Amino acid sequence: MSHETLGTAVPVGPPATLLPADHPDLAVADQLGLHDGVVRTDDAAALRAAAVAHPDSSLAWALLARAELDAGAHGPDAVAAYAYARVGYHRGLDALRRARWRGQGLVPVSHPSNRGFLAALLALGEAAARIGEDEEAERIAEFVAQSDPTAALALRDGVPMGPPVETAG
């Protein structure tokens, strides 16, 4: 596993990938604002405006997907959530590749700029399951676990921005 070490000083596997501090996800968080440290998602028009203003943001698309999922979308009604999440996932892959990620290694949720990609990935997995794409949902769950096994717990109540998130417990 990429996060293990040999002894105490020799890392095993590729280094963790950290998206840059000027990533558009941070601008989306600023645009939408925070409520109790979590990006606000209570205004559908504001979510759409954030995606238009920052189409490269995984976070904007992930939040649109999450809004659909939280509204109870299942089956055919979950197609929009799936599409939003898929866009966020691909925008995140593009950003990760620009940050020299080569398809493996940690993408830690503790780093604020990585949270939008991980939120999109989690939403994509849930949306895939809701439209009956069970094999894809399983692959995505594995991808999340390989990226950061604490991501689902850290992002279960929304996407926090700012200081590192607590992932224990």
Side-chain angles (χ1 to χ4, degrees), residues 44-162:
L47 294 175
R48 290 189 300 274
V52 169
H54 305 282
D56 288 351
S57 167
S58 292
L59 180 61
W61 298 104
L63 295 176
L64 284 166
R66 185 82 258 147
E68 293 286 326
L69 294 168
D70 288 349
H74 278 59
D77 293 336
V79 169
Y82 181 84
Y84 289 141
R86 171 92 32 213
V87 172
Y89 164 74
H90 282 285
R91 295 299 179 142
L93 286 179
D94 291 343
L96 286 168
R97 288 179 184 125
R98 283 191 302 273
R100 294 192 168 89
W101 179 77
R102 297 295 177 249
Q104 59 182 343
L106 289 179
V107 180
V109 72
S110 61
H111 185 66
S113 297
N114 290 353
R115 295 177 193 158
F117 168 73
L118 294 165
L121 192 56
L122 288 163
L124 182 59
E126 185 174 339
R130 289 193 191 187
I131 65 170
E133 286 284 340
D134 296 332
E135 288 181 21
E136 182 178 16
E138 289 174 21
R139 285 191 308 273
I140 291 167
E142 184 177 325
F143 188 6
V144 170
Q146 291 170 350
S147 297
D148 187 331
T150 67
L153 177 61
L155 300 175
R156 74 172 175 218
D157 295 324
V159 181
M161 282 296 180

